[in-house]
Amino acid sequence: MMEHEERYEDLTALFEAQDEALQSEAFVTRVMTPINKRSRWRTPLLFGAGGIGIGAALSQISGVLDLLKSRTPELDITFDTVPAAEMSFDMQSIWIVAAVVIMVACAAIVATERA
Amino acid sequence: MEITDLDLARGAASGQEAAFEALVRRYQGTVRGVTRRLAPRPVEADDLAQAAFLTAWRKIGTYRGGSFKAWLCTIAYREFLQARRKQKPEVEFDEGAHVIAFDASAARMADHLDLDRALKTLPENQRICVVLCVAAGLSHAEVAGATGFPLGTVKSHVNRGVAALRKQLAPDNVA
């Protein structure tokens, strides 16, 4: 590094003087404006779309279960024999799992975009 | 105590725009300087510099430490290459427009002009190596990594470029 500086320091000083003169608040604003704008709408949009998608998928679960029941009568036994309290707990769990899935999916999208 | 580049980059990677803004403030001069010395016109150069910072924002998660300046200058150099591929004819270097952006005394402006003029005369690969190594302060190895030139070629380009610049900037040769 020292060798590098000693060899070119006369020219480097000239270049640095030029670079110093290029400092501009307008350029910082120019760079940051699209970043700030994008961040403002992107997160709500991403999470909103993800939430709607997951919600739509969950709303179809009961229909799918009914379909499964009609096609495979054996499943009735399983569902009918689950105690009511346990069943409601499971429904809460589904919502918790769905919320976690939404958050993880969105975080994964953001992380992938950054990588 | 000044916050390190790595800390700011980690902040930016976690979505803190203020951290990235601090990095833009810190390196705007270097990046704009690099793009102005590589691109034919200042307007294009600032577009390239902006594109480089926006790419850096998107890719900030891939920065794993080391010289942030080298990482950023590599991105700026690649933006320059991409833009050049899209451009068909080589545009004449607009010296007059280059000078306007510098807010400096007449004497310093003359120095800048001489330096710009001298840089312009170098063969392109030599100029690229001089700009990245001497002007932006990257090591020979970092320039080799950024450009894909062999290390020996980078050293050779830099040595010849520096010698040519010194010769042209010598008092006898300055107009």
Side-chain angles (χ1 to χ4, degrees):
Chain A
M1 189 65 192
M2 280 307 290
E3 186 194 4
H4 175 84
E5 285 174 4
E6 281 168 16
R7 285 170 64 189
Y8 313 129
E9 64 182 3
D10 54 337
L11 291 172
T12 301
L14 283 173
F15 285 121
E16 280 176 354
Q18 283 190 335
D19 292 350
E20 193 63 34
L22 286 170
Q23 296 288 337
S24 154
E25 197 56 35
F27 181 77
V28 176
T29 306
R30 181 179 162 177
V31 171
M32 293 309 296
T33 300
I35 291 172
N36 293 334
K37 267 187 190 168
R38 192 164 180 256
S39 299
R40 210 173 301 137
W41 61 260
R42 191 179 161 285
T43 306
L45 190 74
L46 189 64
F47 277 77
I52 289 167
I54 296 288
L58 286 175
S59 71
Q60 299 303 312
I61 285 178
S62 60
V64 171
L65 291 179
D66 288 344
L67 186 69
L68 280 173
K69 276 183 189 177
S70 65
R71 295 275 169 92
T72 55
E74 306 86 54
L75 276 175
D76 279 348
I77 301 163
T78 311
F79 287 111
D80 291 346
T81 53
V82 174
E86 214 172 302
M87 193 71 179
S88 67
F89 172 75
D90 282 349
M91 285 309 290
Q92 282 177 2
S93 302
I94 286 174
W95 284 110
I96 292 167
V97 169
V100 171
V101 166
I102 293 170
M103 288 166 68
V104 170
C106 292
I109 292 167
V110 172
T112 308
E113 281 191 350
R114 289 287 174 82
Chain B
M1 197 177 124
E2 196 178 48
I3 305 170
T4 64
D5 291 345
L6 185 59
D7 287 339
L8 287 172
R10 281 180 181 153
S14 67
Q16 292 172 29
E17 291 154 30
F20 189 73
E21 189 172 330
L23 288 168
V24 175
R25 279 181 210 287
R26 196 173 282 182
Y27 290 109
Q28 61 156 318
T30 304
V31 173
R32 292 177 77 201
V34 165
T35 54
R36 278 175 184 238
R37 287 167 198 126
L38 295 178
R41 285 182 301 200
V43 176
E44 291 167 32
D46 275 357
D47 287 346
L48 288 178
Q50 183 187 22
F53 277 114
L54 293 178
T55 302
W57 167 251
R58 283 198 305 275
K59 302 280 182 188
I60 195 78
T62 64
Y63 171 66
R64 297 277 180 263
S67 167
F68 187 78
K69 185 161 72 170
W71 184 76
L72 204 51
C73 287
T74 301
I75 292 174
Y77 172 69
R78 286 176 186 163
E79 292 291 340
F80 158 72
L81 285 184
Q82 274 187 3
R84 199 184 56 174
R85 275 188 216 113
K86 287 175 192 166
Q87 278 179 345
K88 293 276 163 76
E90 185 74 17
V91 183
E92 262 316 293
F93 193 81
D94 188 351
E95 263 180 9
H98 198 163
V99 175
I100 290 167
F102 291 118
D103 178 20
S105 68
R108 268 181 70 188
M109 217 175 264
D111 285 345
H112 292 155
L113 257 181
D114 292 336
L115 189 57
D116 292 340
R117 201 174 288 139
L119 256 183
K120 189 188 160 193
T121 63
L122 300 182
E124 187 176 69
N125 287 349
Q126 220 173 74
R127 182 159 50 101
I128 287 167
C129 291
V130 167
V131 166
L132 292 176
C133 188
V134 183
L138 273 62
S139 70
H140 290 144
E142 286 168 343
V143 174
T147 58
F149 300 151
L151 185 59
T153 306
V154 171
K155 286 180 182 176
S156 166
H157 279 325
V158 171
N159 287 337
R160 286 180 189 171
V162 165
L165 284 183
R166 282 197 179 125
K167 191 177 173 187
Q168 292 193 58
L169 293 172
D172 294 346
N173 288 330
V174 173

